[in-house]
Amino acid sequence: MPIEKEVIVDATPYSPSGGAVEDPRAIIAREPMGTAQLVAVAICVLLTALDGFDVLSISFASPGIAAEWHINRAVLGGVLSMELIGMSAGSVFVGSLADRIGRRPVTLLCLVIMAIGMWLATTATDVTTLSAYRLFTGLGIGGMLASSNAIVAEFANSKRRNLAVSLMACGYPLGAIVGGSIASRLLVGGTWRSVFGFGAIVSAAFIPIVWFLVP
């Protein structure tokens, strides 16, 4: 009876020169942060600020919506609920998609969803339609939050990782504060649709920024 020999395969990656290749994550964690890493973290902070504006855009626009549609502002609470449901689904399903296809493609996908959803909100004529559009937008917002958090953690080194994540978290209230100031100016010269239109334009403007500057 023949004796089977156990074959051991060495799965360690090697460079063309013959040396073992070090895990890039270990290099990033150990080395000082370079320009590309700093830019990626800064972009994620701004993306989180954009999320903060997009989430609260319904609050900024609610007085104008209530006046135009002759409804109680409390009715618009249902629109916010649909948005939060979309965010929850987006953080789970769209965020997990980033583990399979990469953070950058998912971030771009979320920006496309947010831009389309915000633009669609400008065309809404009733609460039901607006709720559907905000649910769709929430998918992009939730996925963006999950993806941005992972990008910051992966691009920051060990020494600066906690600081980078903290800065990213600060982007959310920053977007709400700055966004509220911008929304108040938009409402003076326009209608509530201007708030969503502004969000759509900014979301679309970030697409080439992420495409070219996020590794």
Side-chain angles (χ1 to χ4, degrees):
M1 180 177 181
I3 300 176
E4 295 183 358
K5 295 183 179 180
E6 182 181 2
V7 178
I8 300 176
V9 178
D10 184 3
T12 304
Y14 290 92
S15 66
S17 60
V21 177
E22 186 176 3
D23 188 342
R25 290 171 295 185
I27 299 174
I28 292 174
R30 182 185 67 243
E31 298 295 330
M33 293 180 64
T35 301
Q37 293 165 269
L38 294 173
V39 169
V41 171
I43 290 174
C44 287
V45 173
L46 294 176
L47 289 175
T48 307
L50 176 62
D51 278 349
F53 173 82
D54 285 358
V55 169
L56 294 180
S57 58
I58 184 64
S59 300
F60 303 145
S62 60
I65 297 174
E68 181 178 321
W69 294 349
H70 306 290
I71 59 175
N72 190 318
R73 288 176 62 180
V75 176
L76 295 174
V79 179
L80 179 59
S81 298
M82 296 302 293
E83 179 181 318
L84 296 177
I85 291 173
M87 288 178 61
S88 300
S91 62
V92 174
F93 297 109
V94 181
S96 62
L97 182 64
D99 294 330
R100 297 195 295 271
I101 69 173
R103 316 294 182 197
R104 182 168 169 270
V106 168
T107 300
L108 292 168
L109 172 63
C110 290
L111 284 171
V112 171
I113 292 174
M114 291 164 61
I116 294 175
M118 295 291 281
W119 177 79
L120 287 174
T122 67
T123 68
T125 56
D126 55 67
V127 174
T128 302
T129 305
L130 183 60
S131 297
Y133 292 155
R134 295 306 290 167
L135 174 65
F136 177 73
T137 308
L139 292 173
I141 296 173
M144 177 70 73
L145 285 173
S147 182
S148 297
N149 188 60
I151 289 174
V152 168
E154 291 173 351
F155 275 98
N157 60 16
S158 297
K159 184 178 180 180
R160 304 298 183 187
R161 183 169 292 125
N162 291 337
L163 174 61
V165 173
S166 298
L167 289 175
M168 194 206 72
C170 291
Y172 195 90
L174 178 64
I177 295 171
V178 176
S181 177
I182 295 174
S184 63
R185 295 178 180 274
L186 291 172
L187 291 171
V188 170
T191 67
W192 61 268
R193 301 175 194 275
S194 302
V195 176
F196 295 114
F198 174 78
I201 292 172
V202 177
S203 298
F206 266 103
I207 293 175
I209 293 175
V210 171
W211 179 276
F212 290 109
L213 297 181
V214 175

